[in-house]
Amino acid sequence: MAVITLLSDFVDGTSMALVEDTDLGNLNDYMTQSQGKLWAGVQQRRRKQGLTTIRRGPGTIYFAPDETASVAVERYLQSATGSQDETTAYLAMTKAGVSIAPHVGAEAERMALLDGQLRDLRPQAKAQGFS
């Protein structure tokens, strides 16, 4: 079964990743049918914890088509930013067939993505589009 992971970086310097299984066959189907579910879950959990819900930029969705790819995504997200481990994990993730896309949860975020107004984002937050 495919696994969807949503990673979001927030203005307070924290990050949150939520994961769910899906019966959808590819990232495009997920993006057009149910992309808002995970973002709503992120918002609810952060509000309960008293954390900000304002992101530094659009979140990133990782679509892992099978268990091997899902493990590769987890390893990538646990690696240190800018490290050799991150590079190795990213290559393993792409080799495993993981698709990556931006996830935009609010109107202002959609406009920032469409207008190209993404500034001062961490490397993980810079979505690379569909792969």
Side-chain angles (χ1 to χ4, degrees):
M1 176 173 280
V3 176
I4 297 288
T5 303
L6 168 62
L7 174 68
S8 295
D9 292 327
F10 293 86
V11 296
D12 62 1
T14 61
S15 296
M16 181 175 276
L18 288 183
V19 179
E20 72 178 10
D21 294 334
T22 182
D23 291 329
L24 298 172
N26 59 55
L27 178 61
N28 190 54
D29 289 346
Y30 183 80
M31 293 294 285
T32 57
Q33 292 180 32
S34 59
Q35 66 163 320
K37 261 191 339 186
L38 280 177
W39 177 235
V42 168
Q43 294 279 54
Q44 290 170 358
R45 289 180 187 200
R46 291 187 68 82
R47 283 191 182 111
K48 283 182 184 175
Q49 295 172 12
L51 301 171
T52 180
T53 57
I54 302 169
R55 289 193 289 199
R56 290 177 51 99
T60 304
I61 287 195
Y62 300 90
F63 183 93
D66 55 33
E67 182 66 27
T68 301
S70 180
V71 169
V73 170
E74 287 180 35
R75 183 170 169 238
Y76 172 72
L77 295 179
Q78 292 172 0
S79 61
T81 302
S83 69
Q84 182 59 43
D85 285 343
E86 180 188 40
T87 302
T88 303
Y90 180 82
L91 293 173
M93 185 175 66
T94 56
K95 185 177 179 181
V98 173
S99 299
I100 304 169
H103 172 273
V104 186
E107 181 64 27
E109 292 169 327
R110 281 193 293 280
M111 293 313 298
L113 181 64
L114 294 173
D115 294 343
Q117 300 294 320
L118 305 177
R119 294 184 210 74
D120 301 325
L121 299 180
R122 294 184 193 173
Q124 297 104 316
K126 294 181 182 175
Q128 300 298 312
F130 296 95
S131 61

